[in-house]
Amino acid sequence: MTDKQDREPFYVTTAISYPNGDPHIGHAYEMIATDAIARWKRLEGRDVFFLTGTDEHGIKMVQTAQAQGITVQELAERNAARFKALAGALDISNDDFIRTTEERHHRSAQDLWRKMLANGDIYQSSYEGWYSVRDEAYFDESELSEDGEGRKFAPSGAPVEWVVEPSYFFRLSAYQDRLLKHYEDNPDFIAPRERRNEVMSFVKSGLQDLSISRTTFDWGIPVPDAPGHVMYVWVDALTNYITGVGYPDTESESFRRYWPADLHVIGKDIVRFHTVYWPAFLMSAGLAVQHRVFAHGFLTVEGKKMSKSLGNVIDPFALIEEFGIDPVRFYCLREVSFGQDGDFGRDKFINRNNADLANDLGNLAQRSLSMIGKNCAGVVPKPGAYSEADQALLTLADTAITRASEAMDRQLVHEAVAALWEVVGEANRYFASQEPWALKKTDFERMGTVLYVTAETIRRVTIPALAFIPGSAGKILDFLAVSDADRLMSDADDAGALKPGTVLLTPEPVFQRFERDKAGA
Ligand code: ME8
């Protein structure tokens, strides 16, 4: 691979999670999808920097710690370690893990604050309004709902209370026109499109200044030169994206190289923070605005919203323990349309694993490569002239790789997976209809061609699959004796790169089949 400096940088982030509880499948989902995007870009030869982490300040952390009888530092320490462990357990290829309690981040957030202040965008006043502790946000009266007893609730369903406090404000109202111009000039700034429309109409309806400091608790980043005030957790949280690449040192190599970020991947509930507040903060501080925000949907479990009270929160560690990493990753990427809501269902999960991984890719690799082992002394045979069927499969691999790349450019991860698995499905039909086991007796040379075409097709789809199921795809490429240096998209594009005469390794089963639960099945 060429030197890092010669490759085009690509900076991608997840949201940083609140470590006030254990990570759940929604957190795992976001990590997996972002990891697939990061890995794909690396396969394309980009110099990727991938950041994830934890958002550790705010009143919710304080309240959870109190309820558990531990200090908030202890809570943050314990649960941040769980999120870090989750990234490891899911084979996430993040380059750094940021915690907002780190000193580097305090320095960064305070510097950003000073820049916004120097630009005249921060002023002191007092704030009163309907505040939801759970959402850590104030809401407009018009956004609230009410129950029969006069209690008011935020759109999330969380109760709100009337709060009055001295507060610093950010002059968000001054950014309405600049933001709208930014959306107009950069039609790809917010995806999917329906999110962009929502944000634009929200901004068009008028922006109010934003309360950005708190005085009712001290678990946060101190506002510079303002004793008693800590920063509103979202100012601090969003800043993680620049801290991660070296801010406030804007002259550092990493900041110059990676900022502005190419992509923030987040859930649909926090679009406003990332597409209204964050670009406004950056503009105020004289920094470049990130290129793009992609909002994914929410996962439900067996069709129901996850909640502690329903007891249906899925522990991703338990899932990995039971099924392994790649089946979990694959399900998330294949079954859910990225950008739409999706569902985790146990039967659907097992069906997907058995059909696409164990049967289609697993069996095909195992059967074809072990035939090469037994009949060709483990050496890739030299193909003869291609038949129409051979050509059709090879061409399909070509077009599918192109389609997958185009889909990944727009973060349509599910479309990319589907395009590749269409080839896997077709390769199975090809293998079954060509009957190489029968050709062995009738036309040995033709058998060699069929095995070559099959193995070459497996190589070509398995390289891009490294982004989705890195461990299993890596094993299959090992069996095919594809060296680490030959596992880039340019190698997948390179038809015929599997050289006749290559000595293969003995294949072993890569995927497992799982039984659906008897009860209720
Ligand atoms: O929002 N399905 O943290 P968080 C899919 N700290 N995604 C889900 C989900 C679900 N059921 N539940 C949550 C925060 N998410 C802030 C972010 S960024 C500067 C600060 C997603 O722990 C959610 O949309 O509540 C968000 O993108 C991420 O998980 C972390 O959520």
Side-chain angles (χ1 to χ4, degrees), residues 14-20 24-30 54-56 60 83 100 233-234 236-241 265-270 273-274 296-300 305-306 341-342:
T14 62
I16 49 172
S17 307
Y18 290 126
N20 65 330
H24 54 62
I25 184 84
H27 295 121
Y29 175 63
E30 185 171 297
T54 40
D55 179 4
E56 304 187 7
K60 236 187 296 185
F83 279 89
T100 54
V233 67
W234 271 101
D236 146 12
L238 290 161
T239 307
N240 93 85
Y241 300 128
V265 176
I266 55 159
K268 64 176 185 180
D269 56 330
I270 53 176
F273 297 98
H274 284 80
H296 61 75
F298 262 45
L299 285 193
T300 51
K305 195 174 162 189
M306 262 186 293
D341 289 338

Side-chain angles (χ1 to χ4, degrees), residues 148-273:
E149 289 151 34
R151 281 182 301 223
K152 292 182 189 290
F153 299 90
S156 65
V160 292
E161 52 192 296
W162 188 256
V163 171
V164 182
E165 58 176 324
S167 175
Y168 286 95
F169 281 75
F170 175 76
R171 227 177 275 285
L172 186 64
S173 56
Y175 283 86
Q176 179 172 359
D177 293 344
R178 268 173 282 182
L179 286 168
L180 285 171
K181 180 165 186 329
H182 191 79
Y183 308 143
E184 296 287 357
D185 292 347
N186 301 278
D188 294 328
F189 181 58
I190 307 169
R193 188 146 287 259
E194 59 266 31
R195 302 287 165 223
R196 176 171 189 262
N197 297 340
E198 282 166 19
V199 170
M200 288 185 72
S201 50
F202 170 73
V203 174
K204 273 184 192 146
S205 73
L207 293 174
Q208 291 181 4
D209 291 350
L210 186 69
S211 160
I212 54 166
S213 75
R214 299 288 179 264
T215 52
T216 47
F217 59 94
D218 63 2
W219 178 244
I221 298 183
V223 171
D225 311 314
H229 286 260
V230 293
M231 290 182 201
Y232 169 45
V233 67
W234 271 101
V235 175
D236 146 12
L238 290 161
T239 307
N240 93 85
Y241 300 128
I242 51 177
T243 310
V245 289
Y247 192 82
D249 185 359
T250 51
E251 292 307 310
S252 65
E253 198 189 318
S254 71
F255 191 83
R256 290 165 53 139
R257 187 158 182 74
Y258 297 113
W259 193 259
D262 292 273
L263 179 66
H264 294 320
V265 176
I266 55 159
K268 64 176 185 180
D269 56 330
I270 53 176
V271 173
R272 199 178 285 181
F273 297 98

Side-chain angles (χ1 to χ4, degrees), residues 20-225:
N20 65 330
D22 273 336
H24 54 62
I25 184 84
H27 295 121
Y29 175 63
E30 185 171 297
M31 282 187 186
I32 290 168
T34 313
D35 185 57
I37 293 166
R39 285 179 183 272
W40 187 279
K41 290 289 165 195
R42 287 196 197 96
L43 291 172
E44 288 182 338
R46 299 281 289 265
D47 165 30
V48 172
F49 191 79
F50 171 17
L51 183 71
T52 187
T54 40
D55 179 4
E56 304 187 7
H57 294 125
I59 186 79
K60 236 187 296 185
M61 288 291 288
V62 177
Q63 292 174 336
T64 308
Q66 269 166 2
Q68 296 186 8
I70 55 176
T71 66
V72 66
Q73 285 86 353
E74 280 169 335
L75 178 72
E77 207 59 45
R78 186 186 69 200
N79 286 342
R82 297 280 291 162
F83 279 89
K84 215 173 198 173
L86 181 65
L90 288 168
D91 217 350
I92 300 303
S93 63
N94 56 302
D95 296 284
D96 197 357
F97 187 100
I98 188 164
R99 298 182 54 189
T100 54
T101 46
E102 289 168 334
E103 204 267 328
R104 61 169 168 164
H105 181 64
H106 279 231
R107 246 188 308 126
S108 169
Q110 290 181 333
D111 191 276
L112 184 82
W113 183 287
R114 286 198 182 94
K115 296 269 172 5
M116 300 193 298
L117 183 71
N119 197 37
D121 285 327
I122 293 180
Y123 63 92
Q124 196 174 9
S125 178
S126 75
Y127 193 84
E128 40 191 301
W130 293 107
Y131 186 71
S132 153
V133 171
R134 211 195 290 163
D135 298 308
E136 311 229 32
Y138 283 97
F139 290 91
D140 255 11
E141 183 90 41
S142 62
E143 294 178 281
L144 304 178
S145 57
E146 211 170 307
D147 67 6
E149 289 151 34
R151 281 182 301 223
K152 292 182 189 290
F153 299 90
S156 65
V160 292
E161 52 192 296
W162 188 256
V163 171
V164 182
E165 58 176 324
S167 175
Y168 286 95
F169 281 75
F170 175 76
R171 227 177 275 285
L172 186 64
S173 56
Y175 283 86
Q176 179 172 359
D177 293 344
R178 268 173 282 182
L179 286 168
L180 285 171
K181 180 165 186 329
H182 191 79
Y183 308 143
E184 296 287 357
D185 292 347
N186 301 278
D188 294 328
F189 181 58
I190 307 169
R193 188 146 287 259
E194 59 266 31
R195 302 287 165 223
R196 176 171 189 262
N197 297 340
E198 282 166 19
V199 170
M200 288 185 72
S201 50
F202 170 73
V203 174
K204 273 184 192 146
S205 73
L207 293 174
Q208 291 181 4
D209 291 350
L210 186 69
S211 160
I212 54 166
S213 75
R214 299 288 179 264
T215 52
T216 47
F217 59 94
D218 63 2
W219 178 244
I221 298 183
V223 171
D225 311 314

